[in-house]
Amino acid sequence: MAHALSGPRKRSSGPRSKLDLMPYLFILPAVVIYVVFNLGPVLASFFLSFFRWDLLAPTTEFIGFKHYDFILNDDKFWNALSHNFIFLLLAVIIPVSMGLFLAVFIYEIRRGRVFFRAALFLPAIFSGVVIAYVWKWIYHPFAGVLNPTLELIGLGAFTQSWLGNPKIALYSTFIAYTWASFGYSMVIFLAGLQDISTDIFDAARVDGANFWQKLFWITIPCLYDVFTFVITLRIFTAMGVFGVIYILTGGGPFYSSDVIDIYVFRMIGNFEMGWATAAATVNTIVVVCISTGFIKWREWRSWSS
Amino acid sequence: MNKNQYTTLLQKLLIVGLGALLLGALSLGAVVAQEATDVLVWSLGYGGDYADVLVERFNEAHDDVNIVYEDVLTGTFTENNQKVRIALENEAGPDVLGGVDVGANLQALVSTGQVRDLTEYYRASGLIDRIPPNLLSQVTVEGRIYAIPQNMESVGIFYNKDVFAELELAVPSTWEEYIDVLEAVKDAGYYGYTMGLAGGWPSALMASMFMYSSAGSEYIDVLSGTQPWPDCDNCLDGLNAFYGMVANGYANPEPLGIDYNQSLDLFYQGITVMVLNGPWFIDDAMAAEPDFEIGFFYLPAVNPNTDIKTLGGIGGSIIVAEYADVDAAFKLVDWLTTEEVAVQALREVSVLPAFSIEVPDDIAPLSYQIASETAANVDKIGFWPVTYLPPKVFGDMNQIVQGMIGGMLTPEELLSEMQATHSTYLAEN
């Protein structure tokens, strides 16, 4: 037995240099694609933010940190960034908890599991543009279904201009975002739930634990790494939200639902490439700081416990 | 060699000669066909299928020039602009391009160095006498003419003739009469003014219409940055009149909750009675097939002393690329600016040419009315705000006007906000 195990080891240690190169060769295409299509544009964007360039002119003018100075002193930038933070806060609470509860519900039921899983995941596979247009008509003040439904169920006091009221326009877009995104969280949680040993739940049942006790003392702690992944995903999508808001409100009324990506898009539309890339760079730094900080905090908590 | 042999030889020579002639003719035909010069076109300035119609007509009528039409400008306004600018810069764009926006956009295209100076062409072709000076100024950059205004648009009120007849209302000619009409319409349970500003568009255009209507050419000074926004008291009167559409209940509810297209549905359904719009609206309205007749009048002036009749401008213009074959490109331009093609376009797609023509009276009555009134008032049209304002400031203006309509800004605050936005931009650039 020992001989059988040692044989291949000896053979593999012979042409070591060749074997060591193989993994790199395999990942080379992915690295090239990543550098060309991801890292390259990010670095180019960062580089561009120090120049005045209108996308067309063959010459650029180096202006140092002037764009950053403008961006950081622009109320509209901070207004947009604050909306991203509101979106982020809501996105890590609502779609994540909805996803968790629905995953637990589907996990618990015996019949119709496949149907509910498919039905609840369905919105997540639609294009964001389609979802935005569907919600645009749901919110329509004259032909939409939301206001009449509220009146029908006795909640007529809550009917209003969902996209036209600057106080709630951002939250109306968030509802559409949630509808499109909770399905992802749900399937990831569901996959995580299936990895938890049923013995633990059986033992809890024998000990008389109720649903909430099982949820808080078994399910959520066992899904620690899944939570980290799902929340990190939400950080990225919330800080980069664009399509739903662009179609529903265009960032209005009067910038009340403006977010950074729409701010950047407006700059690009105006051929202000330097301003746009400076704003995008600041947003990237914010996203990297939040997501890295969050992941490090989770690692520290995991290690300390 | 006997007679028969001679005859046979002559017959053979004749056959060979005829064959050679035939081959020669065929070769010559092929050479002639090969000499037809291709002119690459991305847009002829007409939307929809009408571009295909024009290409077919031109190619049928010309043996020596052939339009190669590529329908690549299918994106948004911004995307199309980017495509054109980058393609011109790289000499990979169209030879002739119609539907080009003038003002800041034309200046940007000219700055590529790839837009042909048409000043001499204007003189040689006599086009200089067919285009009003105020339109010509819009295609002139640093004293040289770079584009040919192709079509002319002006904005006015389209109204539901059936409701006007039902309420026995006459078309208003003064601001007071217009308010009386709005009151009567409101009392009858309709909304007089159609407004859908979600997404921004066309907030700045509507506000500009009212500011032109009150401040006239003073508003041009404001847009050009030579007069501060808050100093324009007449602009403030115009904004107050515009805000009055909402504050007095003349406009449909939720103007910020519905977008432009959704607001037009209110008009087609007979919920609103009047809509401020341009001639492009005619095709939309025909397609919607409302069950009432539509009429048109210019918005009566808020200030009767204003020197501007309405908002409008050049709908699109033609440019020729520096790298294009000049003779071939000018043949196409000559053809596009003929009275025959222009009248056909007016008749077939309701597009009024910018160069003077005799408006035919056998076109649809609504098209005829708009075309005649636009042609008659061409020197009293206040151009689109984006002609003067940098695109960024115009984009911000859409949001700022939303702020006033939503009650977040007063008209005075709107002017201050515009001043801050405009001056910040000018300082940065």
Side-chain angles (χ1 to χ4, degrees):
Chain A
M1 189 67 178
H3 175 75
L5 285 171
S6 60
R9 271 194 208 134
K10 273 186 182 171
R11 273 200 296 275
S12 66
S13 63
R16 175 169 291 206
S17 57
K18 259 189 182 176
L19 279 176
D20 285 348
L21 276 177
M22 285 306 283
Y24 296 103
L25 282 173
F26 279 121
I27 64 165
L28 187 64
V31 170
V32 169
I33 290 169
Y34 174 74
V35 168
V36 171
F37 294 107
N38 286 54
L39 194 60
V42 168
L43 293 176
S45 165
F46 176 65
F47 180 72
L48 197 58
S49 65
F50 297 107
F51 291 85
R52 193 194 299 277
W53 185 47
D54 72 350
L55 189 69
L56 174 71
T59 54
T60 54
E61 181 194 352
F62 180 77
I63 55 164
F65 285 91
K66 199 176 172 189
H67 285 138
Y68 289 93
D69 182 44
F70 172 80
I71 296 291
L72 298 175
N73 285 297
D74 184 11
D75 292 344
K76 294 184 182 85
F77 174 80
W78 291 109
N79 172 62
L81 190 62
S82 71
H83 292 153
N84 273 106
F85 282 132
I86 293 171
F87 229 82
L88 172 63
L89 191 68
L90 293 171
V92 296
I93 297 171
I94 298 172
V96 173
S97 27
M98 274 177 75
L100 175 69
F101 280 107
L102 289 167
V104 171
F105 163 74
I106 289 171
Y107 184 73
E108 291 283 333
I109 59 173
R110 292 280 174 268
R111 285 182 160 208
R113 182 182 289 187
V114 174
F115 168 77
F116 281 111
R117 192 174 55 199
L120 292 169
F121 184 64
L122 203 58
I125 61 169
F126 287 142
S127 144
V129 175
V130 173
I131 288 165
Y133 275 108
V134 167
W135 278 91
K136 196 168 190 168
W137 281 103
I138 289 173
Y139 286 138
H140 193 293
F142 305 108
V145 295
L146 185 55
N147 280 344
T149 306
L150 287 172
E151 277 176 7
L152 198 70
I153 60 175
L155 297 173
F158 292 98
T159 61
Q160 60 176 299
S161 179
W162 296 96
L163 300 175
N165 182 344
K167 287 179 183 158
I168 61 158
L170 181 70
Y171 304 100
S172 301
T173 62
F174 178 75
I175 292 171
Y177 164 87
T178 300
W179 190 73
S181 57
F182 76 84
Y184 275 123
S185 308
M186 184 194 74
V187 289
I188 296 166
F189 280 126
L190 203 52
L193 278 169
Q194 283 161 354
D195 276 350
I196 303 173
S197 168
T198 52
D199 293 349
I200 303 173
F201 288 112
D202 290 341
R205 198 164 36 243
V206 170
D207 288 344
N210 63 24
F211 171 82
W212 295 106
Q213 286 168 324
K214 281 194 285 181
L215 179 70
F216 285 108
W217 297 107
I218 299 172
T219 309
I220 291 177
C222 288
L223 291 175
Y224 188 87
D225 289 337
V226 178
F227 263 102
T228 305
F229 177 71
V230 168
I231 291 174
T232 308
L233 197 67
R234 287 293 128 232
I235 291 171
F236 289 136
T237 59
M239 292 303 287
V241 64
F242 175 75
V244 168
I245 296 182
Y246 181 72
I247 289 168
L248 284 177
T249 63
F254 193 38
Y255 306 106
S256 60
S257 58
D258 209 12
V259 285
I260 289 294
D261 276 10
I262 289 183
Y263 179 92
V264 169
F265 181 76
R266 263 203 305 272
M267 293 284 195
I268 293 171
N270 298 329
F271 299 102
E272 306 286 0
M273 298 307 291
W275 283 359
T277 50
T281 301
V282 173
N283 193 37
T284 305
I285 292 167
V286 170
V287 174
V288 168
C289 288
I290 293 173
S291 52
T292 309
F294 173 72
I295 292 167
K296 289 290 168 197
W297 174 68
R298 296 289 284 179
E299 282 174 358
W300 173 79
R301 271 203 62 190
S302 176
W303 174 79
S304 64
S305 63
Chain B
M1 194 178 280
N2 59 30
K3 194 180 174 185
N4 283 344
Q5 282 174 319
Y6 261 119
T7 312
T8 311
L9 183 64
L10 276 172
Q11 279 175 342
K12 282 179 180 170
L13 281 171
L14 196 65
I15 290 165
V16 169
L18 282 171
L21 267 174
L22 189 66
L23 273 171
L26 284 171
S27 309
L28 193 66
V31 168
V32 168
Q34 276 173 3
E35 277 180 358
T37 310
D38 284 347
V39 175
L40 181 63
V41 170
W42 281 4
S43 165
L44 286 170
Y46 299 94
D49 299 332
Y50 198 64
D52 296 330
V53 172
L54 286 179
V55 171
E56 199 178 321
R57 281 180 191 162
F58 179 86
N59 286 344
E60 272 178 12
H62 296 81
D63 292 329
D64 51 345
V65 180
N66 181 58
I67 299 180
V68 178
Y69 182 72
E70 288 180 357
D71 190 15
V72 295
L73 300 179
T74 51
T76 62
F77 172 78
T78 304
E79 288 165 355
N80 292 343
N81 253 340
Q82 287 172 345
K83 274 183 198 169
V84 169
R85 289 176 67 176
I86 293 166
L88 279 176
E89 177 67 27
N90 292 289
E91 300 185 26
D95 296 315
V96 174
L97 185 68
V100 173
D101 283 317
V102 296
N105 185 58
L106 179 64
Q107 284 174 21
L109 294 181
V110 169
S111 72
T112 64
Q114 291 298 342
V115 178
R116 185 170 289 278
D117 180 348
L118 300 175
T119 314
E120 291 310 316
Y121 173 78
Y122 262 88
R123 293 200 183 106
S125 65
L127 203 60
I128 195 105
D129 302 320
R130 295 174 61 202
I131 297 184
N134 61 334
L135 298 193
L136 214 50
S137 69
Q138 296 300 303
V139 289
T140 303
V141 179
E142 294 174 0
R144 309 297 295 176
I145 309 171
Y146 285 95
I148 299 165
Q150 199 173 3
N151 54 66
M152 186 63 205
E153 295 166 339
S154 70
V155 165
I157 301 279
F158 292 84
Y159 69 98
N160 183 327
K161 273 187 163 180
D162 292 11
V163 171
F164 266 52
E166 173 196 327
L167 302 177
E168 297 178 350
L169 297 170
V171 169
S173 56
T174 65
W175 181 253
E176 290 71 26
E177 286 176 10
Y178 178 59
I179 295 294
D180 289 344
V181 166
L182 288 168
E183 284 289 344
V185 163
K186 184 179 157 188
D187 291 345
Y190 299 101
Y191 297 104
Y193 192 91
T194 309
M195 203 187 286
L197 307 181
W201 172 263
S203 312
L205 272 190
M206 280 194 178
S208 292
M209 174 71 246
F210 283 82
M211 283 194 270
Y212 268 129
S213 179
S214 179
S217 51
E218 189 186 353
Y219 182 53
I220 296 174
D221 295 338
V222 171
L223 292 170
S224 308
T226 55
Q227 181 180 335
W229 290 74
D231 291 357
C232 180
D233 292 337
N234 286 320
C235 297
L236 185 62
D237 291 343
L239 285 177
N240 279 317
F242 180 40
Y243 185 60
M245 296 298 114
V246 178
N248 297 320
Y250 302 144
N252 52 272
E254 314 288 3
L256 299 179
I258 55 171
D259 64 22
Y260 168 75
N261 287 323
Q262 290 172 330
S263 75
L264 294 186
D265 289 338
L266 299 181
F267 178 73
Y268 300 139
Q269 290 162 16
I271 296 168
T272 57
V273 175
M274 289 176 273
V275 57
L276 185 73
N277 226 317
W280 56 85
F281 172 73
I282 299 174
D283 283 350
D284 280 351
M286 293 304 113
E289 297 179 347
D291 57 359
F292 54 83
E293 208 181 331
I294 297 174
F296 176 84
F297 62 87
Y298 279 141
L299 180 76
V302 174
N303 174 1
N305 300 319
T306 181
D307 54 348
I308 296 286
K309 182 86 175 171
T310 191
L311 171 70
I314 299 166
S317 58
I318 305 167
I319 59 167
V320 178
E322 193 68 58
Y323 50 79
D325 182 299
V326 181
D327 294 335
F330 282 165
K331 265 209 169 143
L332 172 57
V333 176
D334 286 343
W335 184 78
L336 282 171
T337 52
T338 56
E339 181 140 354
E340 184 193 352
V341 173
V343 170
Q344 272 175 346
L346 179 57
R347 190 174 274 128
E348 293 167 11
V349 285
S350 311
V351 172
L352 176 70
F355 31 88
S356 55
I357 61 156
E358 194 73 32
V359 178
D361 56 7
D362 60 340
I363 58 175
L366 193 57
S367 295
Y368 177 77
Q369 189 189 356
I370 297 169
S372 309
E373 294 210 27
T374 307
N377 291 291
V378 75
D379 57 339
K380 293 182 202 128
I381 286 176
F383 292 118
W384 311 120
V386 79
T387 308
Y388 308 100
L389 282 178
K392 181 189 179 307
V393 182
F394 179 71
D396 283 340
M397 188 177 175
N398 277 320
Q399 291 282 335
I400 293 167
V401 172
Q402 279 188 333
M404 184 189 74
I405 295 298
M408 290 161 275
L409 295 174
T410 62
E412 288 90 345
E413 287 168 341
L414 182 150
L415 292 176
S416 301
E417 188 76 25
M418 279 307 300
Q419 180 60 35
T421 303
H422 201 171
S423 53
T424 303
Y425 179 86
L426 294 176
E428 289 295 325
N429 289 274

